[in-house]
Amino acid sequence: MYAMREAVAAFKRAPVLTGLSSAMVGLALFVVGLFGLATYNLQLALSAIEERVEVVVYLRDDARQSEIDLLLTELADFEEVRQVRYVSKRDALERARVELPEFGELFMDSEVNPLPQSLEVELRQGFRNPEVVEKLSFAAEGYPFVEDAQYGEEWVDRLFALRRIGAASAGVLGVAFALVAALIIGTALRIAIFARRDEIYIMRLVGAKNGFIRRPFLLEGAMAGLAGALLAWSLTYGTYRGVYAYLFEIAWVPGTWVVLGLVAGTAFGAVASALAIRRHLREI
Amino acid sequence: MIKLTNVSKEYPKRGFALRDVSFHLQKGEFAFLTGHSGSGKSTTMRLIHMADRPTAGEVRVSGYSSERVTERDLWKVRRRVGFVFQDFRLLPGRTAQENVAFALEVTGTPTRAVQAKAQRLLSQVGLSTKAGAFVNELSGGEQQRVAIARALANDPFVLLADEPTGNLDERATRGIMELFWDIQAKGMAVLMATHDLELVRRFPSARVFELDQGQLVYDSTQAVEPDASPTLRAD
């Protein structure tokens, strides 16, 4: 009760200072927010490319329907596989006419359909990686009526290399931004603590328990963190709207990320404040 | 009560601030701690308040030993020892009552009891009519009274006063001294550090400790002659 009253009173007593603390926290978290927005959109772009990771099993012309059905069932039984589509020679030709109009005449004129029948193996999310496609290709190639199994080995490998680099740099940059934000928040709160050093001194003088001294600062830190996180959210959202309207189409981060950001900002404020007040109490 | 046994305090740069000091302040005693500037008076007060620990020897305050009390338990010592300073150290921007109430609130006095107790403490120091005045509206003597009321908030057994009249005029000094004697008459010990020997001489019934260059050179209860103090005698 006392802690809450004191934390609110601190906001009221020094609105400029607490406002500045929140603004500093907000700007620090804004950088993290922008980074989150960029990471999320990069992830979406990579996922869209990843969707196209599939295995195409080309079948010999003399493969019997019963053999094809058997392979289709076996491939569909793999837990990594979402679905297996059979593409007949005629379907392949139709598709080629639509997708490759520049070769339209070639396909029209030809009396013989040169395109093979195939099975297109679509993978479940989370399994679109080089190991799985290689495993499925290997399994399919074991059948005598299979001509070839392809999955665009080279670009899948590149895509995953890119993804690994993306994940690593996102991790490193995320930690770096979070550390910078923590330092800024810590500094802002140290200023707030410094402004109230007389009160802290008196509290110690008359015998207040350390926990009691810390509590209002923890609350104040949490409030500054939450206010900063809300500011960061509004700035990031404004940026998103601006980019969407004037530059290019991007996606807004999921609601859980926003909630997580607000909770993290609040917790960040409280923890940074706890560390700052702990240090201050040790010094006086 | 308060017992210093062979206490020394050495600072890394300044050297010894206290050297082998021993004394025992009994319950309800009134004592002056005198000596020139830099003689170790404030260091002694800080050690009793356990704001600092001795480098050698032991300080015992109401059963708490400087050798054993943990950082976590220091608040217990602080509530047993009231402290007033030369510069009052009140919170500006708050009223007299709010300053006293602050000390009560932060030491866990139930909210409903805080205001009544703050008023009672201000009455005790003769400031009941100034409870609503802001600190900067009060005279030096009145500010020191607020500081004393605050120091009494937790009903300590001893009041430490470090040069409490140093910033006050003669009249205010007299008022503060009368207040200290009132407090002592109610059973609380008072240990007052001062370099004002004239003031010390005015209260012959008080016990006197004298420090010189960090050493205890005089304790009136141990002295063979009543005026054996090197400084008091020479002055």
Side-chain angles (χ1 to χ4, degrees):
Chain A
M1 184 62 196
Y2 162 80
M4 180 55 97
R5 204 154 22 97
E6 272 302 303
V8 173
F11 257 77
K12 281 188 191 159
R13 263 198 298 270
V16 176
L17 183 68
T18 42
L20 274 176
S21 299
S22 294
M24 280 168 80
V25 173
L27 288 175
L29 291 178
F30 173 47
V31 177
V32 179
L34 280 184
F35 176 72
L37 187 63
T39 308
Y40 181 66
N41 277 279
L42 192 70
Q43 201 183 45
L44 279 188
L46 282 173
S47 298
I49 300 171
E50 230 179 75
E51 285 268 320
R52 289 162 54 196
V53 174
E54 60 176 18
V55 180
V56 182
V57 180
Y58 295 104
L59 306 165
R60 291 166 64 102
D61 286 352
D62 57 1
R64 286 199 301 270
Q65 192 57 46
S66 57
E67 291 173 326
I68 297 169
D69 289 344
L70 178 71
L71 177 58
L72 191 144
T73 314
E74 287 206 358
L75 287 173
D77 278 349
F78 278 93
E79 58 161 343
E80 298 95 336
V81 173
R82 183 155 76 186
Q83 63 167 336
V84 183
R85 278 187 310 273
Y86 171 69
V87 180
S88 67
K89 284 172 72 72
R90 186 196 297 241
D91 293 341
L93 188 64
E94 274 306 309
R95 200 190 277 176
R97 278 182 184 144
V98 175
E99 290 177 4
L100 304 165
E102 59 272 35
F103 297 110
E105 279 182 20
L106 177 74
F107 293 130
M108 291 285 266
D109 295 348
S110 176
E111 287 177 6
V112 184
N113 180 355
L115 300 176
Q117 53 184 340
S118 61
L119 291 175
E120 290 176 353
V121 185
E122 205 180 297
L123 301 169
R124 283 183 201 279
Q125 206 176 354
F127 294 109
R128 294 168 190 143
N129 58 53
E131 291 74 33
V132 172
V133 288
E134 208 168 304
K135 181 174 93 175
L136 291 171
S137 302
F138 187 74
E141 277 170 348
Y143 290 85
F145 55 91
V146 169
E147 186 82 56
D148 192 13
Q150 286 185 1
Y151 58 88
E153 191 177 346
E154 204 170 294
W155 77 265
V156 168
D157 283 346
R158 271 194 203 157
L159 173 70
F160 277 85
L162 189 70
R163 208 180 161 76
R164 271 194 294 272
I165 293 168
S169 29
V172 171
L173 283 175
V175 169
F177 284 142
L179 279 177
V180 170
L183 279 177
I184 292 175
I185 292 169
T187 308
L189 290 166
R190 274 181 77 83
I191 294 170
I193 288 167
F194 187 74
R196 290 175 60 196
R197 64 193 182 286
D198 290 343
E199 283 171 48
I200 297 172
Y201 181 83
I202 299 299
M203 285 195 225
R204 292 206 95 179
L205 179 78
V206 297
K209 294 181 194 173
N210 278 349
F212 196 91
I213 300 173
R214 278 193 212 117
R215 235 170 284 149
F217 287 98
L218 288 189
L219 269 177
E220 200 181 327
M223 280 157 68
L226 180 63
L230 284 169
L231 178 68
W233 170 76
S234 51
L235 288 173
T236 312
Y237 190 72
T239 308
Y240 153 74
R241 298 290 296 190
V243 171
Y244 191 92
Y246 300 110
L247 295 174
F248 47 82
E249 204 173 300
I250 55 167
W252 178 239
V253 295
T256 46
W257 283 37
V258 175
V259 174
L260 210 69
L262 293 178
V263 172
T266 310
F268 234 52
V271 170
S273 187
L275 294 176
I277 184 73
R278 195 191 171 102
R279 202 168 139 187
H280 182 79
L281 287 177
R282 221 181 286 143
E283 282 167 4
I284 61 168
Chain B
M1 281 284 98
I2 292 176
K3 191 174 183 189
L4 278 73
T5 311
N6 306 115
V7 169
S8 293
K9 178 67 189 174
E10 187 182 8
Y11 292 103
K13 286 181 185 166
R14 253 178 62 197
F16 277 97
L18 281 184
R19 206 188 280 266
D20 202 22
V21 170
S22 300
F23 67 78
H24 189 176
L25 187 73
Q26 302 286 352
K27 192 180 174 194
E29 262 191 300
F30 192 118
F32 286 109
L33 186 62
T34 67
H36 298 294
S37 292
S39 58
K41 300 189 294 293
S42 294
T43 304
T44 307
M45 300 297 237
R46 281 176 62 77
L47 290 176
I48 295 171
H49 197 240
M50 297 209 185
D52 227 335
R53 309 275 179 131
T55 34
E58 184 193 26
V59 178
R60 285 189 77 85
V61 178
S62 186
Y64 295 98
S65 164
S66 60
E67 287 174 351
R68 281 182 294 281
V69 72
T70 60
E71 197 65 28
R72 186 185 277 267
D73 283 338
L74 276 181
W75 63 271
K76 294 176 185 166
V77 181
R78 306 266 162 81
R79 289 188 194 185
R80 306 287 294 132
V81 180
F83 210 131
V84 291
F85 302 90
Q86 181 173 357
D87 56 359
F88 323 130
R89 303 201 189 170
L90 298 173
L91 295 173
R94 299 198 192 203
T95 64
Q97 171 123 355
E98 283 168 349
N99 265 278
V100 181
F102 181 76
L104 291 164
E105 275 179 326
V106 301
T107 48
T109 305
T111 313
R112 60 183 181 283
V114 167
Q115 297 308 328
K117 189 167 182 189
Q119 273 171 5
R120 187 170 58 72
L121 288 164
L122 284 172
S123 301
Q124 194 181 337
V125 298
L127 270 187
S128 52
T129 56
K130 298 277 177 92
F134 283 94
V135 165
N136 58 353
E137 296 166 351
L138 299 172
S139 69
E142 287 168 337
Q143 288 189 45
Q144 193 58 290
R145 283 170 187 269
V146 178
I148 293 167
R150 181 182 66 192
L152 301 178
N154 294 307
D155 306 311
F157 78 89
V158 63
L159 183 65
L160 303 181
D162 194 0
E163 302 278 2
T165 57
N167 283 351
L168 304 181
D169 60 24
E170 178 51 37
R171 198 169 152 215
T173 298
R174 220 171 23 238
I176 293 296
M177 291 310 296
E178 279 169 17
L179 183 57
F180 282 155
W181 281 103
D182 283 349
I183 290 167
Q184 187 262 346
K186 286 176 185 145
M188 195 180 296
V190 177
L191 179 62
M192 176 173 158
T194 180
H195 65 275
D196 185 352
L197 298 174
E198 201 47 54
L199 188 70
V200 176
R201 282 197 197 98
R202 259 190 264 161
F203 300 95
S205 61
R207 186 172 174 187
V208 180
F209 299 111
E210 188 178 337
L211 289 167
D212 185 27
Q213 293 180 4
Q215 286 181 301
L216 188 69
V217 292
Y218 177 71
D219 176 352
S220 57
T221 57
Q222 314 268 313
V224 184
E225 296 169 41
D227 61 346
S229 155
T231 317
L232 286 173
R233 189 179 47 196
D235 208 45

